[in-house]
């Protein structure tokens, strides 16, 4: 996956708090009251926010009209961009005001998509509409402007392409015959189940990929029950070293290649997703409603052994 280039601004903050969880990316615009569409740099927004009593710019990134991505608040720090939602989110400002006839540039759309792809990979965030939102999805506001908000699905689609490219067939919906060497089944690729390191990139543990076919078969059935919606794997195989590093249980099914944590598919409520999962003979089912995923495993070969939590 291509990595974005970020212009370092070296802005000064006084003891910013650390953000301990990252599950969401929030898009914003400047929202000038007079509708003037300005290309404002991160340094200027930083000055504005300081004058308003903030520690500094509340957004983590600013994307300029020419597509340049500028550093705002440190990526590890708690933002100040979406009241009540800052504790688990990253804020991206698309510089400009997107009301009336004002439109984001194509360069901004592409940069936003690639940045989101990078962030989703780094923090294991599903690249879905539930996890990539406009400010107005969280509270009553016109931000990020109707014209940018109208392109949110496009940005997410491009982010999926940048993140997975040809090795993520459930995004591109390609048949097995095209990516034979990468595939475990029609819709699931080997790369989706690789062990991930602490930084959410591929783990360098050297352990071979071990995924039970019974698990893949049931995941294909689950995809059908979910209306043929793409399913995204938050966590598949884990080497024991990585499993211990993230405080996984010592006998985790992930270490045996019999388990997957599956993100709720876009367009399906969590209850409907849970209902689909429970119709299939998974041996273990773990419900993680707050994190928007369900653990499934085939520890006894996919006979419906009844382990639930």
């Amino acid at each position: 996956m291509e990595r974005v280039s970020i212009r370092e601004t070296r802005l000064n903050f006084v003891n910013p708090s650390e953000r301990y969880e990252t599950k969401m990316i929030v898009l914003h615009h400047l929202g000038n009251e007079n509708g003037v569409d300005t290309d404002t740099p991160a340094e200027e927004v930083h000055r504005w926010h300081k004058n308003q009593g903030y520690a500094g710019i509340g957004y983590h990134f600013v994307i300029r009209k020419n597509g340049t991505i500028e550093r705002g608040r440190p990526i590890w720090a708690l933002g100040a961009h979406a009241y009540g939602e800052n504790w688990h989110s990253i804020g991206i400002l698309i510089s400009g005001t997107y009301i009336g006839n004002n439109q984001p540039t194509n360069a901004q759309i592409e940069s936003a998509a690639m940045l989101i792809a990078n962030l989703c990979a780094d923090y294991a965030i599903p690249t879905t509409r539930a996890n990539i939102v406009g400010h107005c999805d969280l509270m009553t506001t016109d931000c990020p402007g109707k014209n940018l908000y109208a392109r949110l699905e496009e940005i997410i689609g491009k982010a999926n392409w940048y993140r997975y490219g040809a090795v993520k067939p459930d995004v591109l919906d390609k048949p097995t015959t095209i990516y034979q060497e990468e595939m475990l089944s029609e819709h699931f690729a080997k790369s989706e189940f690789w062990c991930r390191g602490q930084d959410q990139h591929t783990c360098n543990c050297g352990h071979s990929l071990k995924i039970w076919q019974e698990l893949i078969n049931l995941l294909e059935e689950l995809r059908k029950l979910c209306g043929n919606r793409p399913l995204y794997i938050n966590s598949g195989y884990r080497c024991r070293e990585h499993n211990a590093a993230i405080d996984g249980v010592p006998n985790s099914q992930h270490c045996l290649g019999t388990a997957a944590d599956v993100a709720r598919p876009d367009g399906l409520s969590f209850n409907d997703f849970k209902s689909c999962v429970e119709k299939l003979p998974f041996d273990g089912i773990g419900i993680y409603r707050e994190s928007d995923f369900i653990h499934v495993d085939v520890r006894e070969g996919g006979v419906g052994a009844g382990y639930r939590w």
Side-chain angles (χ1 to χ4, degrees):
M1 177 179 60
E2 185 176 352
R3 302 293 299 186
V4 296
S5 176
I6 299 172
R7 184 177 78 81
E8 298 297 341
T9 52
R10 296 176 176 82
L11 303 173
N12 293 319
F13 297 84
V14 179
N15 298 322
S17 300
E18 185 173 354
R19 186 185 67 256
Y20 291 101
E21 190 170 6
T22 308
K23 301 189 298 184
M24 182 181 292
I25 297 171
V26 186
L27 296 187
H28 302 263
H29 76 158
L30 284 174
N32 291 326
E33 291 183 3
N34 57 10
V36 174
D37 188 24
T38 58
D39 187 18
T40 306
E43 291 89 344
E44 183 70 5
V45 180
H46 184 63
R47 185 179 65 82
W48 291 347
H49 284 191
K50 273 197 163 183
N51 288 341
Q52 294 171 26
Y54 291 88
I57 185 171
Y59 314 106
H60 297 91
F61 300 95
V62 175
I63 303 180
R64 305 289 297 282
K65 295 291 188 182
N66 64 359
T68 297
I69 302 173
E70 299 176 338
R71 182 81 64 189
R73 190 165 290 216
I75 186 60
W76 51 264
L78 185 71
H81 59 93
Y83 183 76
E85 304 288 346
N86 293 307
W87 63 276
H88 67 142
S89 65
I90 292 173
I92 300 175
L93 172 67
I94 311 297
S95 189
T97 298
Y98 300 110
I99 58 176
N101 295 321
N102 301 334
Q103 295 288 341
T105 67
N106 289 334
Q108 286 178 307
I109 295 298
E110 294 300 327
S111 290
M114 190 179 295
L115 175 60
I116 288 168
N118 287 185
L119 294 172
C120 285
D122 292 345
Y123 290 94
I125 304 171
T127 321
T128 67
R129 185 64 179 80
N131 303 88
I132 303 163
V133 303
H135 192 186
C136 61
D137 289 319
L138 305 176
M139 61 194 67
T140 302
T141 175
D142 292 332
C143 182
K146 63 182 181 65
N147 297 330
L148 175 58
Y149 189 75
R151 300 188 69 175
L152 188 52
E153 294 285 355
E154 176 188 354
I155 291 171
I156 294 171
K158 287 177 178 289
N160 269 311
W161 189 89
Y162 281 122
R163 182 177 183 182
Y164 298 111
V167 298
K168 182 68 176 184
D170 226 347
V171 173
L172 300 179
D173 203 24
K174 301 297 183 181
T176 306
T177 52
I178 295 179
Y179 301 112
Q180 186 71 45
E181 71 281 4
E182 294 288 343
M183 301 302 298
L184 296 173
S185 67
E186 183 178 0
H187 296 100
F188 294 98
K190 289 182 180 180
S191 58
E192 297 178 76
F193 294 86
W194 284 338
C195 181
R196 296 170 180 166
Q198 286 292 85
D199 61 355
Q200 297 303 330
H201 294 297
T202 302
C203 181
N204 293 318
C205 61
H207 292 271
S208 59
L209 180 69
K210 309 169 187 177
I211 298 296
W212 282 29
Q213 189 60 47
E214 290 88 346
L215 175 64
I216 300 301
N217 292 344
L218 285 176
L219 288 174
E220 286 285 2
E221 290 300 315
L222 177 59
R223 191 183 189 280
K224 292 178 184 176
L225 288 177
C226 291
N228 290 314
R229 291 177 170 85
L231 297 181
Y232 303 117
I233 308 302
N234 287 348
S235 180
Y237 174 67
R238 297 179 197 154
C239 69
R240 294 196 179 277
E241 291 82 356
H242 175 51
N243 185 66
I246 62 173
D247 295 325
V249 295
N251 60 343
S252 172
Q253 296 299 309
H254 287 279
C255 298
L256 303 176
T258 60
D261 295 342
V262 187
R264 177 186 60 80
D266 196 22
L268 204 64
S269 72
F270 192 91
N271 284 340
D272 286 342
F273 179 39
K274 177 174 176 286
S275 176
C276 291
V277 170
E278 291 174 337
K279 290 177 182 177
L280 294 170
F282 290 108
D283 297 320
I285 298 175
I287 306 301
Y288 297 89
R289 186 182 299 271
E290 290 186 0
S291 298
D292 212 27
F293 75 85
I294 295 179
H295 166 102
V296 295
D297 67 58
V298 291
R299 65 187 71 190
E300 295 187 10
V303 295
Y307 301 97
R308 299 291 184 272
W309 63 94

